[in-house]
């Protein structure tokens, strides 16, 4: 097989001048183009700004190559000529065969000469995680010190856009210096740990915004000292442990509720324990036992009154406080001087200027049965938690056994030893001795100029971590190049450097063994680091990084106002679903259709499903008539493909066809305005689209994605089911008070019509029909996934010469329904991933 490939490559390289020198397409391509295409694409007509009579066939020119690939794709998809009868089937097939052969040969030659893509720089997410793992600093936060990485094909991992500039290099130098300083300790012992315990009125403030219903103290289940004028700080030596602190609102500016004098003395992890129960507040400030758990978390912040004073960060995970009460424990990470704010999830958030009165807050009406909340009895925080040994692992990575003071009787000798030791730890593959002298010189020069040993070494470490030896990932190019494979696999599945087990296999040259590679792929998918892949991949592919963009229009959707718990749950759902697809090896059709959903209490209510208790996602079987199931109808997908005010079938249709189906629509012609929603409710979206697509040119493209968006019109801007549109004037008037205490009014206008017809003529009546049509083409869904995985794993989009490999992978996975982890295995074992090694 190797000999065959080398012979083929030599043949192609020999033919290179003939392949690349042609100004005109060879026969039969030229004849078929002239007979079927040049009526619309000649110098005079030039439809779509394409003149095929002037388009060079010099396939060594990337621009010409890209243009001919575009021609091939449009002919293959039946988009050119736009009327199928304008090209006989046998002519279309002949053109595709001839064009594919030429394009494949040219692409293969380019790959043999230059590799699939350029060397790839670590993006800032990978760079931060590499430093976290190397320096044993799991909470290291230096990402925002680096310039944002440019994106291509929706991803920030594309090698051609991950360039380097003096601005980026300065950012790397600053970020590395900050990371190294955080890894160093100077004290001979860890910071002293202390325990702070608060009870009764020490658990929180005397009052907060939003009315007394938001927060009060209770004894024996009844609120007391409700009039702030009668408030008295406890005078007794020991605060009253019989007092409960009852909290009934979620956090929001200007609002901060945190325990008194519970402040981190030093940066680190702290153990938090507290006793609490979920309760219901009823009229008269009475507390009754709750009916279900209430979720909460803690938020790290400075002990100030306004969120604008400092970034507020969630820490410690979500805790479900149960009606029967109990003692709960979590670990939080705090910076010196920070405290922990109570973060109730899913409760009201009273906001200022309610009822049209400046400076006025109003607590919303209680739901039937009472207002859920949490009553706290006591809380204690202990820390910072000391590491298992001192100096900590982060310091020992830098200075080995020299201790916290980094003293040495032979500084020059230790400097050379520790520099090589650090380079061996930091580098993801062996560094040749010839590459080390510049770093040696930097460290030794600093010592000779009077710098302490620690400072001299830090200068050398900083230089190495900002060098190409650390910043870049290479393509596998040789049969014994196992470290490049280890790096590619690890940065694909965990977004970080290879762990010890994978590095050992690379050093033993075992990563071209299919069984070993399969075992390691499965191990990494099962590891904790896989969560990083899921988060980053969905942030890019599904644009979940923009999940909090476009706040819901409170005029039309007051129920979503400040519902951070719902938005957070939607992101959790989609990430958990992708995790299940890979770990459970679900079929690619699950993107569109599944018989189960992963929901928590808030999502179940949002989707109109049977009640689920608690914040944890759990798998439930969907009712047979449910419109949900699959990624396509998840709230996160429906939110990022809307704009907060209206649902546009155009935007949603383009988004679904591009991201999930893998059929990328062309950009809109210049000067064509977007469809503007009629928020009054006087016009239907179909009327607006009809006006927008009066042009035949527009209608041809819109026919490919508008119907898909129309099928999703039964889902509002956050994915809840609806049968009628909302407006501000026309229709049935609905009024009330929202979760922020503000009056609202909107109208229910025209009925939703979710029927349509795809561009190929297939009709659907609703989302169920559309799902069946899409799910039937599992191969296209799997093909799109393979394209996304290939780009994420290799940093290079699928090249034309890769297409045959992609189809071979699909053939191998077809019999079992194109299962998603099988697709990953097929990619990892392919020449696209492993390269075409040279001996």
């Amino acid at each position: 097989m190797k000999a065959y490939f080398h012979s083929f490559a030599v043949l192609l390289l020999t033919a290179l001048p003939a392949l690349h020198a042609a100004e005109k397409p060879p026969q039969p391509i030229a004849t078929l183009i002239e007979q079927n295409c040049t009526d619309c694409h000649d110098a005079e007509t030039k439809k779509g700004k394409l003149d095929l009579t002037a388009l060079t066939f010099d396939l060594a020119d990337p621009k010409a190559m890209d243009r001919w690939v575009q021609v091939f794709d449009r002919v293959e998809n039946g988009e050119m000529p736009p009327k199928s009868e304008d090209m006989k089937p046998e002519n279309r097939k002949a053109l595709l065969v001839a064009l594919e052969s030429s394009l494949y040969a040219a692409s293969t030659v380019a790959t043999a000469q230059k590799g699939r893509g350029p060397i790839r720089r670590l993006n800032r997410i990978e760079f931060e995680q590499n430093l976290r793992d190397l320096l044993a600093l799991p909470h290291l936060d230096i990402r925002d010190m680096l310039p944002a990485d440019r994106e291509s094909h929706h991803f920030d991992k594309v090698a051609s856009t991950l360039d380097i500039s003096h601005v980026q290099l300065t950012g790397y130098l600053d970020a590395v210096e900050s990371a190294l300083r955080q890894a160093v300790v100077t004290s001979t012992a860890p910071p002293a740990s202390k325990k702070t315990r608060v009870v009764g009125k020490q658990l929180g403030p005397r009052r907060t915004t939003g009315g007394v219903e938001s927060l009060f103290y209770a004894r024996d289940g009844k609120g007391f000292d409700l009039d702030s004028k009668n408030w008295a700080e406890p005078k007794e030596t020991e605060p009253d442990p019989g007092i409960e602190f009852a909290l009934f609102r979620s956090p929001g500016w200007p609002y901060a509720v945190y325990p008194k004098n519970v402040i981190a003395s030093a940066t680190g992890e702290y153990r938090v324990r507290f006793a609490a129960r979920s309760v219901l507040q009823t009229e008269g400030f009475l507390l009754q036992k709750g009916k279900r758990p209430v979720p909460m978390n803690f938020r790290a912040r400075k002990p100030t009154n306004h969120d604008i004073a400092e970034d507020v960060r969630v820490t410690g995970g979500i805790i479900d406080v149960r009606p029967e009460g109990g003692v709960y424990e979590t670990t939080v990470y705090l910076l010196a001087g920070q405290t922990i704010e109570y973060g109730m999830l899913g409760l009201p958030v009273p906001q200022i200027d309610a009822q049209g009165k400046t400076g006025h807050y109003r607590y919303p009406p209680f739901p039937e049965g009472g207002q859920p909340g949490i009553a706290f009895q006591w809380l204690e925080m202990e820390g910072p938690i000391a590491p298992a040994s001192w100096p900590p692992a982060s310091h020992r990575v830098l200075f080995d056994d020299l201790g916290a003071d980094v003293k040495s009787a032979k500084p020059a000798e230790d400097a050379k030893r520790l520099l090589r030791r650090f380079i061996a730890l930091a580098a993801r593959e062996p560094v040749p001795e010839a590459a080390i002298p510049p770093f040696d010189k930097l460290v030794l020069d600093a010592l000779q100029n009077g710098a302490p040993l620690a400072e001299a070494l830090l200068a050398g470490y900083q230089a190495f971590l900002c060098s190409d030896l650390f910043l870049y990932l290479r393509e596998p190019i040789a049969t014994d190049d196992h470290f490049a494979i280890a790096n590619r696999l690890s940065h694909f599945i965990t977004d970080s450097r290879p762990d010890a087990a994978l590095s050992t296999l690379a050093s033993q040259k075992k990563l071209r063994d299919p069984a070993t590679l399969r075992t390691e792929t499965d191990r990494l998918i099962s590891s904790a680091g896989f969560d990083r892949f899921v988060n980053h991949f969905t942030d890019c592919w599904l644009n979940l990084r923009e999940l909090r963009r476009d706040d819901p229009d409170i005029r039309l959707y007051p129920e979503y106002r400040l519902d951070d718990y719902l938005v957070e749950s939607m992101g959790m759902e989609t990430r958990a679903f992708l995790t299940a697809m890979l770990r459970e090896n679900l079929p690619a059709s699950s993107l569109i259709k599944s018989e189960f959903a992963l929901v928590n209490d808030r999502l179940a209510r949002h989707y109109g499903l049977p009640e689920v208790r608690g914040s944890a996602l759990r798998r439930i079987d969907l009712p047979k008539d449910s419109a949900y199931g699959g990624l396509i109808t998840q709230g996160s997908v429906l939110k990022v493909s809307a704009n907060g005010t209206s649902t546009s079938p155009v935007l949603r249709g383009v988004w679904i066809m591009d991201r999930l189906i893998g059929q990328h629509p062309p950009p809109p012609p210049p000067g064509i305005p977007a469809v503007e929603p009629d928020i009054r409710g006087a016009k239907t979206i179909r009327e607006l689209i009809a006006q927008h697509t009066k042009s035949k040119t527009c209608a041809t493209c819109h026919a490919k994605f508008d119907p898909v968006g129309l099928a999703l019109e039964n889902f509002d801007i956050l994915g809840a089911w609806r049968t009628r549109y909302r407006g501000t004037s026309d229709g049935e008037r609905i009024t009330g008070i929202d979760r922020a205490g503000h009056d609202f009014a909107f109208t229910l206008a025209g009925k939703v019509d979710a029927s349509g017809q795809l561009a190929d003529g297939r009709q659907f009546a609703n989302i169920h029909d559309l799902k069946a049509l899409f799910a039937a083409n599992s191969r296209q869904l799997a093909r799109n996934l393979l394209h996304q995985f290939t780009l994420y794993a290799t940093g290079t989009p699928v090249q034309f010469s890769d297409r045959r490999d992609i189809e071979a992978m699909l053939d191998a996975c077809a019999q079992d329904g194109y299962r998603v982890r099988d697709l990953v295995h097929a990619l990892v074992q392919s020449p696209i991933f492993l390269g075409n090694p040279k001996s």
Side-chain angles (χ1 to χ4, degrees):
M1 186 68 185
K2 292 179 184 177
Y4 171 79
F5 175 79
H6 289 305
S7 300
F8 183 52
V10 169
L11 177 64
L12 287 172
L13 290 170
T14 304
L16 189 62
L19 282 171
H20 287 168
E23 291 293 328
K24 299 295 182 182
Q27 296 295 340
I29 297 173
T31 300
L32 291 166
I33 289 287
E34 183 177 356
Q35 291 175 349
N36 297 276
C37 306
T38 53
D39 284 351
C40 297
H41 298 288
D42 60 6
E44 294 181 2
T45 312
K46 206 173 182 179
K47 285 189 176 180
K49 298 183 178 180
L50 174 62
D51 178 8
L52 288 174
T53 63
L55 180 60
T56 176
F57 206 71
D58 179 6
L59 300 182
D61 177 0
K63 291 184 178 179
M65 179 70 176
D66 289 345
R67 200 62 160 151
W68 280 108
V69 169
Q70 184 183 30
V71 170
F72 176 88
D73 288 341
R74 297 202 68 181
V75 173
E76 185 181 47
N77 294 334
E79 299 171 2
M80 194 174 84
K83 294 181 180 179
S84 58
E85 60 268 22
D86 287 347
M87 181 182 282
K88 294 180 181 179
E90 59 270 24
N91 288 346
R92 187 182 298 273
K93 182 177 180 181
L95 176 59
L96 290 172
V97 169
L99 196 52
E100 194 273 346
S101 179
S102 294
L103 296 175
Y104 179 80
S107 182
T108 303
V109 167
T111 299
Q113 282 188 323
K114 304 174 184 177
R116 283 192 68 254
I119 188 172
R120 182 171 82 77
R121 172 174 61 80
L122 297 175
N123 64 27
R124 61 182 191 163
I125 291 174
E126 295 167 323
F127 185 74
E128 179 184 75
Q129 191 59 47
N130 265 262
L131 291 183
R132 285 177 173 179
D133 291 345
L134 168 65
L135 301 176
L137 294 173
H139 301 289
L140 181 67
D141 184 9
I142 49 88
R143 185 182 309 177
D144 290 339
M145 298 179 69
L146 303 171
D149 297 308
R150 292 192 297 144
E151 296 176 17
S152 177
H153 300 78
H154 307 309
F155 287 89
D156 58 4
K157 279 200 169 194
V158 181
S160 60
T161 59
L162 288 173
D163 51 4
I164 192 79
S165 68
H166 71 279
V167 174
Q168 285 162 318
L169 185 56
T170 298
Y172 280 115
L173 287 166
D174 291 344
V176 167
E177 181 178 12
S178 175
L180 292 172
R181 296 291 176 192
Q182 292 178 56
V184 175
V185 298
T186 56
S187 61
T188 57
S193 176
K194 73 171 185 175
K195 181 186 293 185
T196 303
R197 182 182 175 94
V198 290
V199 300
K201 293 181 180 180
Q202 297 175 327
L203 282 161
R206 64 180 69 185
R207 288 291 174 265
T208 187
T209 55
V212 184
E213 296 90 346
S214 293
L215 175 160
F216 58 85
Y217 292 82
R219 183 185 287 112
D220 299 326
K222 182 175 177 57
F224 70 95
D225 280 350
L226 301 173
D227 183 349
S228 60
K229 294 180 182 178
N230 296 330
W231 178 274
E233 295 290 352
K235 295 180 180 179
E236 60 270 35
T237 304
E238 292 294 330
D240 186 349
I243 294 176
E244 288 187 299
F245 171 59
L247 187 55
F248 298 93
R249 61 161 295 168
S250 295
W253 185 90
Y255 167 72
V257 174
Y258 43 83
K260 295 177 181 177
N261 302 318
V262 178
I263 299 174
S265 57
T267 297
E269 292 186 333
Y270 288 76
R271 184 176 297 106
V272 176
R273 299 176 70 245
F274 63 95
R277 62 187 179 117
S278 74
V279 294
L280 288 171
Q281 179 188 169
T282 57
E283 297 297 332
F285 304 98
L286 300 178
L287 300 184
Q288 296 182 3
K289 183 178 180 180
K291 294 183 179 179
R292 55 186 57 85
V294 173
M296 66 161 290
N297 56 26
F298 289 107
R299 311 200 311 168
R301 59 168 303 137
K302 289 286 186 180
T304 57
N305 289 326
H306 304 292
D307 282 353
I308 58 173
E310 182 208 20
D311 241 1
V312 177
R313 171 177 46 83
V314 173
T315 182
I318 299 178
I319 302 165
D320 288 333
V321 177
R322 301 179 298 272
E324 60 271 21
V327 175
Y328 303 88
E329 182 175 317
T330 188
T331 300
V332 300
Y333 179 76
L334 302 176
L335 303 179
Q338 287 187 327
T339 186
I340 47 173
E341 178 182 5
Y342 302 101
M344 308 296 103
L345 303 180
L347 300 187
V349 192
Q351 292 290 294
I352 199 168
D353 297 340
Q355 291 182 301
K357 300 177 183 178
T358 302
H360 178 75
Y361 296 85
R362 176 173 61 182
Y363 197 85
F366 284 7
E368 184 178 352
Q371 172 60 56
I374 297 178
F376 296 85
Q377 291 93 48
W378 56 264
L379 178 146
E380 64 183 26
M381 186 171 82
E382 182 179 11
I385 300 171
S389 60
W390 194 263
S394 63
H395 188 89
R396 296 197 305 274
V397 166
L398 304 179
F399 305 119
D400 194 16
D401 56 355
L402 292 189
D405 53 3
V406 197
K407 295 294 184 182
S408 170
K410 300 177 179 179
E413 183 178 321
D414 275 332
K416 296 188 73 171
R417 172 180 69 86
L418 290 174
L419 176 65
R420 282 161 175 73
R421 175 182 178 274
F422 179 80
I423 288 176
L425 291 172
R428 295 176 295 270
E429 57 186 282
V431 174
E433 180 63 28
I436 298 179
F439 305 107
D440 253 342
K441 185 175 186 307
L442 181 65
V443 174
L444 295 175
D445 284 353
L447 280 176
Q448 290 175 3
N449 290 330
L453 175 59
E455 292 298 317
L457 283 169
L458 291 179
Y461 297 164
Q462 181 187 29
F464 180 81
L465 294 176
C466 294
S467 73
D468 61 326
L469 297 169
F470 187 81
L471 282 181
Y472 286 88
L473 300 173
R474 298 183 300 101
E475 282 268 324
I477 56 175
T479 54
D480 63 348
D481 200 354
H482 294 255
F483 285 99
I485 297 172
N487 276 308
R488 173 165 283 183
L489 182 63
S490 182
H491 284 87
F492 173 28
I493 299 180
T494 70
D495 262 356
S496 189
R497 57 195 293 108
D499 61 12
L502 191 57
S503 295
T504 298
L505 290 170
S507 66
Q508 295 171 347
K509 302 188 183 304
K510 292 184 177 180
L511 289 183
R512 288 195 181 275
D513 172 61
T516 301
L517 200 54
R518 184 179 187 88
T519 298
E520 284 303 288
T521 302
D522 282 336
R523 181 178 70 85
L524 293 179
I525 290 175
S526 299
S527 72
F530 183 64
D531 289 346
R532 295 193 293 269
F533 160 80
V534 170
N535 291 340
H536 191 188
F537 185 75
T538 53
D539 275 354
C540 296
W541 174 44
L542 302 177
N543 202 29
L544 292 198
R545 60 163 69 94
E546 301 290 345
L547 188 57
R548 297 182 184 277
R549 186 201 64 199
D550 295 331
D551 289 335
D553 189 327
I554 59 175
R555 297 169 299 172
L556 297 172
Y557 297 96
E559 68 268 38
Y560 297 147
R561 185 173 187 170
L562 301 171
D563 197 345
D564 188 66
Y565 182 37
L566 172 59
V567 176
E568 181 68 20
S569 296
M570 292 191 304
M572 290 165 52
E573 173 194 17
T574 298
R575 292 183 170 112
F577 192 84
L578 180 64
T579 301
M581 289 184 70
L582 280 151
R583 285 183 172 165
E584 299 177 26
N585 204 17
L586 301 180
S589 59
S590 300
L591 289 172
I592 302 299
K593 191 176 180 181
S594 68
E595 296 179 351
F596 71 92
L598 296 166
V599 296
N600 61 10
D601 51 0
R602 185 65 189 92
L603 290 171
R605 291 198 306 274
H606 183 60
Y607 295 149
L609 298 173
E611 182 183 21
V612 167
R613 297 195 172 194
S615 63
L617 295 174
R618 63 211 64 193
R619 187 174 183 146
I620 64 167
D621 293 330
L622 290 167
K624 290 185 178 181
D625 60 347
S626 175
Y628 295 99
L631 275 177
I632 193 171
T633 50
Q634 289 181 9
S636 64
V637 165
L638 296 164
K639 183 179 187 303
V640 298
S641 58
N643 65 9
T645 297
S646 65
T647 56
S648 165
V650 178
L651 296 178
R652 273 189 177 165
V654 167
W655 197 99
I656 296 296
M657 295 302 291
D658 178 24
R659 310 260 181 166
L660 297 187
I661 308 302
Q663 296 179 0
H664 314 296
I672 301 297
V675 177
E676 293 295 333
D678 170 35
I679 63 172
R680 297 171 304 164
K683 294 182 179 179
T684 68
I685 190 65
R686 288 177 181 270
E687 291 173 325
L688 295 168
I689 289 177
Q691 294 176 5
H692 184 70
T693 56
K694 286 181 180 179
S695 163
K696 290 184 179 179
T697 303
C698 292
T700 300
C701 283
H702 278 261
K704 299 167 189 171
F705 44 79
D706 284 1
V708 176
L710 288 169
L712 294 166
E713 281 295 275
N714 276 125
F715 303 91
D716 72 15
I717 58 169
L718 263 67
W721 183 262
R722 66 182 176 189
T723 57
R724 296 171 70 182
Y725 291 102
R726 293 188 183 186
T728 57
S729 59
D730 292 41
E732 177 188 351
R733 186 174 174 82
I734 306 295
T735 62
I737 301 172
D738 67 21
R739 60 197 309 273
H742 287 240
D743 296 310
F744 69 79
F746 60 84
T747 59
L748 292 178
K751 292 184 178 180
V752 173
D753 178 3
S755 63
Q757 177 177 298
L758 297 179
D760 60 11
R762 291 178 295 170
Q763 296 182 338
F764 56 86
N766 50 40
I767 186 61
H768 297 281
D769 291 350
L770 182 72
K771 282 186 173 186
L773 293 174
F774 278 157
N777 191 359
S778 293
R779 189 178 182 94
Q780 176 57 30
L781 297 172
R783 181 182 291 112
N784 180 51
L785 275 176
L786 271 177
H787 277 247
Q788 309 302 328
F789 290 152
T790 297
L791 180 60
Y792 195 89
T794 69
T796 301
V798 170
Q799 306 295 292
F800 201 91
S801 58
D802 297 332
R803 293 187 179 189
R804 294 183 186 180
D805 288 326
I806 293 288
E807 296 306 311
M809 294 180 223
L810 293 171
D811 290 342
C813 297
Q815 186 173 359
D816 207 20
Y818 305 105
R819 294 185 176 273
V820 179
R821 189 163 63 179
D822 289 348
L823 296 174
V824 171
H825 279 303
L827 172 63
V828 170
Q829 304 272 354
S830 74
I832 294 175
F833 190 92
L834 298 175
N836 287 301
K838 301 172 185 176
S839 299

